[in-house]
Amino acid sequence: VTVYRKDYQPYPYDIPEVALAFDLAPDATEVRCAMQVRRKPDAGADAALVLDGEELELVSVAVDGAALPAERYRLSERRLELLGLPASATVEIVSRCKPSANSTLMGLYVSGGNFFTQCEAEGFRRITWFADRPDVMSRYRVTLRALPDYPVLLSNGNLVASRQLPDGRNEVEWEDPFPKPCYLFALVAGKLTHRETTVKTASGRDVLLQVYSDPGSETKTEWALDSLVRALRWDENRFGLELDLDRFMVVAVHDFNMGAMENKGLNIFNAAYVLADADTATDANYEGIESVIGHEYFHNWTGNRVTCRDWFQLSLKEGLTVLRDQEFSADMMADGMEAAAAASARAVKRIDDVVALRAAQFPEDAGPMAHPIRPESYQEIGNFYTATVYEKGAEVIRMQHTLLGEAGFRAGMDEYFRRHDGQAVTCDDFVAAMESVYVRQHPGRDLSVFRRWYRQAGTPRVTVKLDHDAAARRCTVTLTQACPPVGVEKKAGADYVKAPFHIPFAIGLLDRQGRALPLRHEGNTTETALLELTEQSQQWVFEDIAERPVPSLLRDFSAPVIVEYGWTNEELALLSAHDGNPFARWEAGQEFATRQILALAEARQAGRTLQADPAFIDTWRALLTDPALDAAYRARALALPSEKTLAERMRQVDPPALAVARDFLRAELGRQLAAEFRQAFEANQTPGEYSPAPVPAGRRALKNLALSHLMAAGETDAQRLAEQLYGQAGNMTDSMAALSALINFGQGEFPQQALAAFYDKWRDNPLVVDKWFALQASARSTTVQTARELMQHPAFTLRNPNRARALIFQFCLNNARGMHHPDGSGYAFWAEQVLALDALNPEIAARLARALDNWSRFVPALRAPMQAALQRVRAHEGLSRNVQEIVSKALEFA
Ligand code: ARG
Ligand code: ZN
């Protein structure tokens, strides 16, 4: 069944109060749900109270204290309808569920012997019958009862009572003062340790911050708690938003479908985004923890205080909260630096975010699952926690920030909270608040064209034409946009017309010496002009420009679009050496590298010998040795574009050819720039105590990039460097970098011995064992056969999502040679694993199912076996709704 956005109907009842009581036991937990219900004045007197429920056993139903006779309710597989209710009543439902058998990790489940919940989007209905939709908001009082084996008993809000029962069990009561939708409900019960601190909020209230984790892991929660304090301060300073609770808890769990969940006052996290110390976590892990801690904390206002009316509005909270976490991380990275260093640090963060967007969201927006950031329909909402809703959603918010400026955006946010605090609202409501500021700033303009970002899918292409009139010293820039229908939009037929987008397009012009030209634009003189493209094609004229300039386009990635402009390689080299906008400077080098690799892949396909362009090598040498560039930036500037990004540029995708081309260029750079890479390796050591701060992390990134080039080139002594680094590494970043270089490019016995020793050393730390699996799953020599052997390892299980991601997802998504072997064995493996996972955890299975989304754009030799594998999965009986939606769309809308 497909659900449509246009079919939204308000719920006919209010449920202002909910009292939940849990008798917790792994094999049978009893839940008593007492709710006050009030029919809305405009609802019909005969309106049934329709409640959702899944995999629950009904024990009893009572209304106002009396058992409800059978003819007054209807029970079906997924709903319970109560009929003939008075306008106001107390409804009490008792039900039972079985947490120990819940492998979906939605609703109430057991992990490591403890109880946890995950309710977003539709998991609460697996706990009790309820109006499981975000526009029904209630105040919750929660009672938890459990044996003393579960000493820690947590739920949302404040702890109001705690006692021991005559039967020896413990009982606690929690009360959350803020009305919330049921998707923000949470409970945790079990043996946990914690770390805590008290801080004063901006208004002077003391609040208790706690991070809970498995006993023994208390040494690994310092970074998470510190990050939480920083997030709290940042939201006060940048947005004027204060923590509204007396107590805020974060709990780590090892079995979790996603990154984390913003349950009111009781965030539940994948342990991978909480636990860290120098020995076991990489720089990237530290950064990820800070960012996800920030993300969930920021949801307290953008998501919880103001929530979504329905799930089509998911980007209302996710796009906005991703924008906020990106800005938080950027501010933390630039913290305490002088202006130029801070600008570079911010550019590094922007580059990382754009790389992720291009690798994950651009392909999604060009494939069968393409959807607007606010989808028009879905079959399973769990399939719409996507890069589009999250990351493109954040870009759409960022464009509003760009159009309004920092102060204007802040004014718009203030207005949003003034209008909607305590409500469940829509994306339109958000844009309307921003527009109220925009129209004041820009009389005569509005955001009506901008709103199309919310209802049209696809990545627009902006073609740039630059005309120079030497006699008139005038430069004319013409921007033209196009975005043909994608995915489900194609089904609407030829009469479906997409309208132009409102695209803020930042541009600079450089002279032939690489100097910035001053631009007259909207009454100012500037180095960066923000062109607002709102029609299919528009022109801008810049005066007093003597010679034909080199354009620096889409500075800071001012819009989620693809730029088409025919730079010469010489112009790209010039931009790469001189562009004053660090993002656009990086982009120029990436474009140059992309052309190189695509040309090499073509040569490979045609059976020609591969050769790198000396001008490209010179460009890379210049970046590598530019003393004005910090290490973190150089590590990004010198990183070759990912295979995912490159694939988007191929008419017919051929992953093995791309992998060979990219490897060739990596090795060739290592060979031709051996001395420079060697020098970078030596100059960027980070002796002394480990710190995850951006400067030492940047050094490690550059040093380890250098090592990978030297190893790939088979440079004499490179392996000695790698072995040495592996032996002496004082942190996991270096250990992993050395091990990865050795596994992928090393020779002799050492690599395999190191791998075995690594496992023995870390076998008791699941997060490190995940790294061990992931490294092998994505290694160049790993085949389907190797992947199958790894699945036989005693530490492997499909039931733990992190472990499945480490091995199966890494192989299927990140191992071009193994997965896309021409014999189709990778696709058969994929089909098998999708089905095996689907029997346990449909949400995770559906994510893996997406690995074949873009099958129709592959070379014919791969396309056919991919299609066959998709068909095989679709034909499987008893497929979940989740996987069904993905594979049928892949086959239908490709
Ligand atoms: N709201 C969470 C976050 O972005 C994600 C929850 C997704 N849950 C799910 N079952 N897909 O922080
Ligand atoms: Zn979120």
Side-chain angles (χ1 to χ4, degrees):
V1 274
T2 301
V3 191
Y4 294 91
R5 180 170 73 89
K6 63 175 168 42
D7 292 342
Y8 173 81
Q9 293 287 336
Y11 196 68
Y13 287 84
D14 285 316
I15 309 182
E17 306 275 344
V18 177
L20 289 170
F22 289 82
D23 287 293
L24 290 162
D27 296 333
T29 287
E30 192 169 278
V31 182
R32 182 172 299 260
C33 173
M35 43 193 158
Q36 257 181 46
V37 304
R38 249 184 285 144
R39 195 153 56 236
K40 288 182 181 165
D42 50 354
D46 57 345
L49 182 76
V50 180
L51 305 173
D52 307 290
E54 260 174 44
E55 292 187 38
L56 297 173
E57 182 193 329
L58 185 61
V59 177
S60 65
V61 195
V63 171
D64 293 327
L68 200 62
E71 69 276 12
R72 293 269 308 283
Y73 67 89
R74 280 202 294 259
L75 178 62
S76 58
E77 198 174 341
R78 302 183 53 178
R79 49 170 46 179
L80 174 62
E81 291 174 67
L82 307 196
L83 314 168
L85 287 186
S88 172
T90 301
V91 172
E92 193 176 73
I93 298 172
V94 180
S95 60
R96 260 194 295 264
C97 59
K98 191 169 180 186
S100 62
N102 182 0
S103 60
T104 68
L105 312 185
M106 290 294 287
L108 177 64
Y109 64 95
V110 176
S111 168
N114 298 328
F115 293 96
F116 298 90
T117 56
Q118 171 59 33
C119 293
E120 186 181 4
E122 297 179 335
F124 193 71
R125 62 186 63 185
R126 301 172 58 90
I127 296 176
T128 178
W129 272 279
F130 199 73
D132 191 358
R133 43 187 285 168
D135 58 347
V136 174
M137 297 170 76
S138 322
R139 283 175 44 126
Y140 284 71
R141 172 177 271 272
V142 177
T143 305
L144 304 176
R145 289 185 285 265
L147 290 168
D149 313 3
Y150 305 97
V152 175
L153 298 169
L154 310 174
S155 191
N156 316 86
N158 301 313
L159 180 65
V160 293
S162 170
R163 64 182 81 83
Q164 195 169 36
L165 299 172
D167 64 8
R169 293 185 305 161
N170 294 323
E171 182 186 82
V172 299
E173 262 179 74
W174 291 82
E175 198 177 65
D176 182 354
F178 294 95
K180 64 170 177 286
C182 65
Y183 83 86
L184 291 173
F185 166 81
L187 77 76
V188 170
K191 287 197 184 74
L192 296 165
T193 174
H194 76 275
R195 171 190 292 270
E196 65 181 35
T197 187
T198 301
V199 300
K200 247 190 216 326
T201 66
S203 71
R205 282 182 311 109
D206 282 328
V207 295
L208 176 64
L209 308 179
Q210 300 179 308
V211 179
Y212 288 82
S213 58
D214 286 333
S217 62
E218 52 277 346
T219 55
K220 297 194 177 74
T221 49
E222 190 180 349
W223 178 253
L225 185 61
D226 288 351
S227 297
L228 185 56
V229 174
R230 289 195 291 274
L232 179 145
R233 288 287 170 244
W234 182 86
D235 218 7
E236 292 181 341
N237 295 333
R238 180 106 180 239
F239 284 102
L241 297 172
E242 191 175 319
L243 180 58
D244 56 9
L245 293 159
D246 301 333
R247 173 171 184 164
F248 190 91
M249 298 170 279
V250 166
V251 186
V253 56
H254 281 280
D255 296 287
F256 202 74
N257 282 352
M258 310 271 288
M261 179 62 212
E262 69 266 23
N263 317 299
K264 186 79 186 187
L266 180 57
N267 289 184
I268 297 181
F269 272 60
N270 187 325
Y273 291 104
V274 177
L275 304 180
D277 61 22
D279 292 341
T280 60
T282 62
D283 295 334
N285 294 146
Y286 276 87
E287 212 187 304
I289 290 168
E290 182 178 75
S291 142
V292 178
I293 289 270
H295 181 96
E296 306 310 330
Y297 177 79
F298 304 142
H299 267 315
N300 192 49
W301 280 93
T302 50
N304 301 3
R305 286 289 286 253
V306 182
T307 194
C308 300
R309 186 192 71 173
D310 55 72
W311 289 121
F312 296 102
Q313 319 297 329
L314 182 57
S315 201
L316 171 78
K317 72 178 179 79
E318 295 304 345
L320 177 54
T321 305
V322 171
L323 179 283
R324 277 152 54 68
D325 83 51
Q326 289 176 346
E327 285 298 294
F328 167 59
S329 296
D331 285 345
M332 293 304 107
M333 287 179 194
D335 188 43
M337 291 181 176
E338 48 80 30
S344 176
R346 294 191 135 268
V348 164
K349 171 64 177 157
R350 188 72 185 124
I351 288 165
D352 290 347
D353 290 340
V354 172
V355 165
L357 184 82
R358 284 188 179 143
Q361 200 277 327
F362 277 27
E364 177 166 270
D365 230 349
M369 266 292 283
H371 51 279
I373 61 168
R374 180 188 57 198
E376 296 294 342
S377 67
Y378 60 75
Q379 291 170 36
E380 167 53 57
I381 185 59
N383 287 336
F384 284 80
Y385 286 76
T386 58
T388 297
V389 166
Y390 276 65
E391 275 74 33
K392 186 179 181 179
E395 293 301 324
V396 172
I397 305 292
R398 185 177 292 277
M399 286 191 284
Q400 295 174 63
H401 181 278
T402 301
L403 291 169
L404 274 77
E406 171 66 14
F409 186 78
R410 172 64 196 274
M413 289 288 282
D414 291 350
E415 180 62 10
Y416 175 62
F417 291 116
R418 196 187 65 73
R419 293 181 184 185
H420 299 300
D421 188 13
Q423 301 173 8
V425 305
T426 65
C427 297
D428 283 327
D429 293 320
F430 180 83
V431 179
M434 289 293 157
E435 190 175 45
S436 72
V437 176
Y438 185 77
V439 296
R440 257 186 281 132
Q441 293 175 327
H442 305 87
R445 295 196 225 164
D446 62 30
L447 295 179
S448 53
V449 172
F450 188 87
R451 282 185 172 78
R452 291 174 188 155
W453 285 108
Y454 285 88
R455 54 170 193 266
Q456 299 184 148
T459 309
R461 273 174 202 275
V462 178
T463 305
V464 181
K465 194 160 146 290
L466 191 145
D467 296 296
H468 183 251
D469 180 340
R473 299 168 60 87
R474 175 180 298 147
C475 182
T476 305
V477 173
T478 309
L479 301 185
T480 305
Q481 58 170 308
C483 189
V486 280
V488 64
E489 288 178 345
K490 287 194 283 195
K491 236 186 90 182
D495 51 319
Y496 177 70
V497 184
K498 283 169 88 169
F501 292 87
H502 184 162
I503 298 173
F505 197 92
I507 173 177
L509 298 176
L510 275 65
D511 70 14
R512 298 274 146 186
Q513 284 67 52
R515 289 173 304 217
L517 292 166
L519 307 178
R520 294 284 307 160
H521 182 65
E522 297 198 336
N524 299 309
T525 301
T526 168
E527 284 184 11
T528 302
L530 188 70
L531 313 181
E532 291 189 38
L533 177 65
T534 56
E535 294 159 27
Q536 200 208 331
S537 188
Q538 279 164 265
Q539 281 194 344
W540 287 264
V541 175
F542 298 101
E543 304 285 354
D544 204 23
I545 296 189
E547 50 171 10
R548 187 181 168 80
V550 180
S552 161
L553 303 174
L554 201 71
R555 288 186 152 182
D556 295 326
F557 197 71
S558 58
V561 301
I562 295 167
V563 176
E564 305 265 11
Y565 180 75
W567 287 284
T568 63
N569 285 352
E570 293 68 37
E571 288 175 327
L572 291 176
L574 179 106
L575 290 167
S576 163
H578 298 294
D579 197 325
N581 183 269
F583 181 87
R585 183 175 177 183
W586 167 82
E587 184 89 293
Q590 293 294 302
E591 177 61 24
F592 203 170
T594 300
R595 291 181 183 185
Q596 280 293 297
I597 299 171
L598 292 176
L600 290 165
E602 258 179 52
R604 157 91 184 178
Q605 287 169 321
R608 294 195 304 270
T609 45
L610 307 190
Q611 237 182 330
D613 177 353
F616 173 74
I617 305 280
D618 287 343
T619 299
W620 242 234
R621 180 184 291 109
L623 287 168
L624 181 52
T625 55
D626 186 338
L629 297 176
D630 60 74
Y633 183 86
R634 271 186 291 164
R636 273 66 179 187
L638 295 163
L640 296 176
S642 74
E643 287 169 22
K644 297 268 179 306
T645 313
L646 292 161
E648 287 303 292
R649 297 279 294 262
M650 286 187 120
R651 200 172 297 278
Q652 293 198 331
V653 185
D654 186 351
L658 266 183
V660 169
R662 195 170 174 277
D663 277 357
F664 171 83
L665 193 59
R666 173 166 43 195
E668 195 58 18
L669 285 163
R671 205 172 57 74
Q672 297 199 36
L673 302 178
E676 291 86 348
F677 276 125
R678 174 70 71 124
Q679 151 71 16
F681 184 86
E682 300 301 345
N684 287 283
Q685 302 290 323
T686 53
E689 207 196 324
Y690 172 81
S691 154
V695 171
R699 290 217 174 109
R700 281 187 287 274
L702 181 57
K703 172 188 59 125
N704 293 332
L705 176 94
L707 178 65
S708 77
H709 279 284
L710 294 168
M711 282 291 286
E715 276 302 304
T716 27
D717 252 21
Q719 178 146 346
R720 191 185 49 81
L721 288 183
E723 289 179 11
Q724 230 170 45
L725 179 64
Y726 186 70
Q728 296 166 5
N731 59 76
M732 184 51 88
T733 306
D734 285 341
S735 298
M736 284 302 288
L739 194 55
S740 167
L742 287 163
I743 294 303
N744 281 292
F745 306 107
Q747 291 176 1
E749 316 262 271
F750 189 90
Q752 287 306 315
Q753 284 168 358
L755 202 54
F758 185 92
Y759 179 78
D760 284 338
K761 179 167 180 191
W762 297 113
R763 56 193 306 154
D764 295 328
N765 183 317
L767 298 176
V768 182
V769 172
D770 288 338
K771 294 180 182 14
W772 182 81
F773 275 111
L775 189 63
Q776 297 175 79
S778 56
R780 291 162 78 238
S781 60
T782 292
T783 62
V784 174
Q785 189 48 37
T786 331
R788 288 189 191 280
E789 281 161 24
L790 281 166
M791 286 185 73
Q792 297 307 313
H793 192 281
F796 184 75
T797 167
L798 274 182
R799 290 179 176 266
N800 174 252
N802 287 358
R803 194 59 45 92
R805 281 186 277 258
L807 176 49
I808 314 284
F809 285 56
Q810 278 297 323
F811 179 79
C812 292
L813 292 156
N814 254 337
N815 192 324
R817 289 179 178 85
M819 174 67 175
H820 300 284
H821 194 283
D823 67 6
S825 58
Y827 310 140
F829 175 77
W830 164 87
E832 245 173 77
Q833 302 315 322
V834 168
L835 294 177
L837 274 169
D838 202 32
L840 298 169
N841 187 329
E843 183 166 1
I844 299 294
R847 301 235 148 207
L848 180 63
R850 296 207 47 197
L852 263 56
D853 264 9
N854 289 338
W855 64 276
S856 69
R857 288 171 33 214
F858 280 65
V859 288
L862 299 178
R863 197 186 301 157
M866 286 176 123
Q867 187 179 20
L870 279 161
Q871 282 163 341
R872 195 184 128 206
V873 171
R874 187 174 55 176
H876 185 83
E877 222 175 299
L879 216 53
S880 69
R881 197 150 35 104
N882 310 57
V883 171
Q884 180 67 48
E885 175 170 33
I886 301 302
V887 293
S888 56
K889 284 184 172 170
L891 288 164
E892 210 178 322
F893 302 141

